[in-house]
């Protein structure tokens, strides 16, 4: 891989994307671009299916602003802040065959709640240099080297709102009305690649990230300390330039998941939009890096696609990591339908690392299809009891019908509350066409119990052809929603979001 210069890799991916991501650090990264293989022609000569550009995934075409939103039920008066969610929303697709869902331009959707009212809804594209050019606007100043309209997550950090991406770009900072301000480099201390999934340790007041890049022979552990500055990164040697979409954090360790999805330099040179492939020759491993410093201890495990972290924590002489995983192999670039391809449904699982015996035990916690795991964020890196996940039938169909694997029809649209202590769960079901997004837990003001609060999620309303912000009581999870905020348009099925409380 050393023979491939960073510039050549970026150029190859950018060309394949028909100019839509020119200069993007996502050129080489997972979210940069398109297919591992040329799409096979469908039987009978019909047009190829594009599930990631249709239905719940279809991009919206305009930015909206609406005030004093209609509400069914009553918004809890202590919900003062903004519910934000990011996701890919392609702006001006020139060639559907060269499009991949995960390279869509980031769009943040937000609802402002205050005093029991839904004051406004806004959706705004993240203004990278590419997006401003498409919109006929002027980009302020010089674009960063690996510029991209970050489309994966949006988080609050020390009074700022940051849109996140992996594989190269810096975060973009947004203001309280979702206008893009600038790339954010943590007070001029973070140079180069950052991450889509960070972990914030509220006790230590530290923001952690694992960054990867296709020309590196390592990944980097980044810590932003309580001053808001990034410390010098710790480099962890890894082979084959693997894609590390997420990681985990405990009080003692940074948990690194080395997956067998690796960079393919030849595919990048040939113009593959997502030059990352499933690599059976790359062993899957868990690595424990002490937070106090030292070397990484590795444990080989059976291959899966490690999608998203629920949480991790130390427990005596073990480290516990709970996560969402897909069965192996998983095709990040997809198989010609414009998005990733799975060979089965994602499930909630647990790894328990026995430090004394030097082995890892794997446990299935829930075998129903589910994604986007979240907890009470104050417990990141510490033992939790409750967890929340989402099941959206249209996502499983889009991921799996590419390979002819259809999910069970009983798995439609619902949110799940897991009690990890009792091993039980509650479901909040939605109608068949009500595509449900990631659940975000918001603690009630003055809460003493871990689940004393609310669960917020964007849910499609098939009768209106628009989206609602649904607010559930976490302690009455299966009951009627506390409120449904009627949005003026549709929020496409996307990725991750956060509650941004008022200061």
């Amino acid at each position: 891989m050393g023979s491939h210069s960073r510039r050549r890799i970026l150029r190859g991916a950018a060309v394949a994307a028909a100019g839509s991501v020119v200069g993007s650090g996502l050129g080489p990264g997972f979210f940069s671009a398109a297919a591992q293989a040329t799409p096979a022609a469908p039987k009978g000569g019909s047009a190829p299916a594009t599930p990631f550009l249709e239905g719940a995934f279809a991009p919206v075409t305009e930015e909206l602003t609406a005030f004093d939103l209609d509400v069914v039920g009553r918004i809890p008066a202590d919900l003062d802040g903004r519910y934000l969610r990011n996701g890919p929303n392609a702006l001006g697709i020139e060639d559907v065959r060269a499009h991949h869902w995960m390279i869509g331009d980031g769009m943040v959707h937000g609802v402002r709640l205050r005093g029991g009212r839904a004051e406004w809804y806004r959706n705004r594209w993240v203004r990278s240099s590419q997006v401003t050019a498409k919109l006929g606007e002027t980009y302020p100043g010089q674009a960063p080297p690996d510029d991209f309209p970050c489309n994966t997550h949006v988080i609050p950090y020390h009074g700022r709102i940051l849109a996140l991406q992996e594989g190269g770009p810096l975060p973009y900072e947004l203001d309280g009305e979702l206008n893009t301000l600038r790339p954010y480099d943590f007070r001029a201390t973070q140079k180069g690649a950052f991450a889509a999934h960070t972990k914030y340790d509220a006790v230590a007041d530290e923001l952690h990230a694992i960054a990867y890049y296709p020309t590196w022979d390592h990944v980097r552990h980044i810590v932003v300390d309580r001053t808001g500055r990034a410390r010098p990164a710790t480099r962890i040697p890894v082979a084959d330039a693997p894609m590390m979409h997420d990681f985990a954090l405990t009080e003692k360790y940074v948990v690194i998941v080395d997956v067998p999805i690796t960079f393919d330099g030849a595919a990048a040179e040939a113009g593959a939009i997502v030059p990352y492939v499933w690599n059976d020759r790359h062993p899957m491993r868990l690595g424990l890096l002490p937070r106090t410093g030292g070397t990484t201890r590795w444990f080989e495990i059976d291959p899966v696609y490690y999608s998203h972290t629920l949480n991790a924590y130390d427990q005596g002489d073990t480290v516990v990591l709970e996560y969402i995983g897909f069965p192996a192999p998983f095709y990040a670039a997809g198989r010609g339908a414009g998005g990733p391809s799975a060979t089965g449904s994602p499930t909630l699982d647990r790894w328990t690392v026995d430090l004394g015996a030097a082995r890892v035990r794997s446990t299935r916690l829930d075998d129903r299809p589910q994604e986007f795991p979240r907890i009470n964020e104050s417990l990141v890196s510490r033992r939790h009891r409750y967890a929340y996940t989402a099941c959206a039938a249209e996502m499983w169909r889009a991921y799996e019908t590419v390979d002819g694997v259809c999910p069970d029809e009983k798995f439609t649209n619902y949110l799940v509350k897991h009690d990890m202590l009792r091993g039980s769960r509650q479901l909040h079901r939605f109608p068949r066409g009500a595509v449900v997004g990631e659940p975000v837990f918001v603690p009630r003001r003055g809460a003493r119990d871990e689940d004393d609060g609310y669960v917020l999620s964007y849910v499609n309303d098939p009768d209106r052809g628009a989206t609602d912000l649904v607010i559930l009581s976490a302690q009455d999870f299966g009951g009627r929603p506390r409120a449904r905020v009627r949005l003026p348009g549709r929020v496409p099925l996307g990725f991750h979001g956060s509650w941004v409380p008022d200061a």
Side-chain angles (χ1 to χ4, degrees):
M1 188 177 63
S3 63
H4 299 288
S5 73
R6 172 168 164 153
R7 182 179 298 276
R8 290 176 68 196
I9 293 168
L10 293 173
R11 184 187 301 125
V15 169
S20 64
V21 289
V22 173
S24 167
L26 296 172
F30 173 38
F31 295 109
S32 58
Q36 282 168 205
T38 301
K43 295 180 180 179
S46 60
T50 55
F52 292 95
L53 289 173
E54 302 169 0
F57 295 94
V60 297
T61 59
E62 58 183 338
E63 296 178 327
L64 301 176
T65 303
F67 298 96
D68 294 324
L69 307 177
D70 291 336
V71 177
V72 177
R74 298 185 66 180
I75 298 171
D78 59 340
L79 280 175
D80 282 346
R82 295 161 175 80
Y83 175 68
L84 308 180
R85 204 226 62 198
N86 203 350
N89 193 90
L91 173 62
I93 300 173
E94 296 182 7
D95 185 353
V96 170
R97 295 168 301 175
H99 174 73
H100 191 280
W101 177 43
M102 293 179 179
I103 67 166
D105 308 288
M107 175 176 275
V108 177
H109 300 258
V111 177
R112 174 70 161 101
L113 304 178
R114 179 161 47 189
R117 297 173 51 241
E119 290 188 344
W120 53 252
Y121 163 80
R122 287 179 167 87
N123 62 321
R124 296 292 186 269
W125 275 290
V126 177
R127 258 51 173 195
S128 68
S129 58
Q130 304 95 25
V131 167
T132 55
K134 292 177 186 179
L135 293 173
E137 300 172 357
T138 300
Y139 186 83
Q142 183 175 358
D146 290 334
D147 191 26
F148 189 79
C150 301
N151 71 18
T152 310
H153 207 343
V154 57
I155 64 169
Y157 178 67
H158 280 203
R160 303 178 188 272
I161 298 172
L162 303 179
L164 304 180
Q165 189 77 25
E166 68 191 73
L170 287 170
Y172 263 99
E173 183 180 356
L174 312 179
D175 68 15
E177 295 186 343
L178 309 188
N179 301 302
T180 302
L181 298 178
R182 63 187 68 83
Y184 188 66
D185 59 6
F186 299 95
R187 304 178 70 176
T189 59
Q190 176 59 29
K191 307 298 182 184
F194 198 61
H197 286 286
T198 56
K199 303 289 179 271
Y200 178 67
D201 183 332
V203 175
D205 192 6
E206 292 177 347
L207 186 70
H208 291 249
I210 292 290
Y212 69 89
Y213 202 82
T215 58
W216 293 349
D217 59 0
H218 62 276
V219 296
R220 297 178 185 177
H221 172 225
I222 299 165
V223 182
V224 182
D225 65 22
R226 63 180 65 244
T227 71
R229 295 178 173 88
R231 301 172 187 164
T234 299
R235 299 190 177 195
I236 303 124
V238 294
D240 303 324
M243 183 193 78
M244 291 193 184
H245 179 59
D246 206 349
F247 74 107
L249 190 71
T250 75
E251 291 183 82
K252 296 179 181 178
Y253 297 101
V254 180
V255 188
I256 302 148
V257 186
D258 186 1
V259 296
I261 298 177
T262 61
F263 179 70
D264 185 334
E269 291 286 356
I273 302 181
V274 176
Y276 279 83
V277 299
W278 186 269
N279 183 354
D280 286 319
R281 297 183 301 277
H282 184 89
M284 184 156 185
R285 308 180 296 168
L286 283 182
L288 300 183
L289 172 68
R291 286 177 61 170
T292 55
T295 59
T296 304
R297 184 179 179 186
W298 292 101
F299 303 81
E300 287 202 17
I301 55 177
D302 292 334
V304 298
Y305 174 55
Y306 176 75
S307 179
H308 292 112
T309 303
L310 174 62
N311 195 25
Y313 53 89
D314 305 301
Q315 184 172 276
D317 293 329
T318 67
V319 173
V320 178
L321 194 165
E322 294 169 351
Y323 69 100
I324 295 292
F326 286 80
F330 182 89
Y331 303 101
R335 296 236 167 144
S341 175
T343 53
S345 300
T347 52
L348 180 61
D349 296 326
R350 174 188 289 144
W351 284 312
T352 304
V353 184
D354 187 325
L355 300 175
R359 64 170 178 257
V360 180
R361 182 174 73 254
S362 182
T363 307
R364 176 64 42 83
L365 300 177
D366 191 4
D367 63 359
R368 58 171 51 87
Q370 57 201 290
E371 251 286 17
F372 304 133
R374 300 295 291 261
I375 63 168
N376 182 327
E377 299 289 314
S378 68
L379 295 174
V380 167
S381 79
R382 289 157 177 82
R383 187 166 186 176
H384 63 282
R385 177 173 177 176
Y386 299 106
Y388 309 90
T389 58
C391 176
E394 194 155 345
M395 177 171 282
W396 318 142
R397 285 193 290 269
Y399 270 49
E400 295 170 18
T401 53
V402 177
D403 289 325
V405 181
C406 296
D408 192 316
E409 285 297 316
K410 70 182 179 184
F411 296 121
T412 55
N413 299 288
Y414 50 79
L415 296 175
V416 188
K417 178 185 179 181
H418 297 270
D419 185 330
M420 314 304 278
L421 179 62
R422 295 182 177 179
S424 62
R425 57 200 60 86
Q426 294 177 277
L427 271 61
H428 189 100
R429 297 183 182 275
F430 295 92
R432 180 170 294 273
V435 181
V436 59
E438 178 186 59
V440 171
F441 176 83
V442 182
R444 188 178 63 84
R445 188 179 299 153
R448 295 185 178 182
D449 297 328
E450 178 184 334
D451 65 341
D452 186 3
Y454 316 102
V455 175
L456 279 60
S457 180
Y458 287 137
V459 181
N460 183 53
D461 182 341
D463 294 331
R464 292 197 308 121
T467 295
D468 295 341
L469 171 58
V470 174
I471 303 172
L472 305 178
S473 169
Q475 294 184 332
D476 183 23
F477 195 76
R480 180 174 297 181
R482 295 286 299 269
R484 298 182 71 110
V485 179
R486 303 298 201 190
L487 308 188
R490 188 174 54 83
V491 177
L493 192 56
F495 296 141
H496 308 286
S498 299
W499 174 250
V500 182
D502 284 355

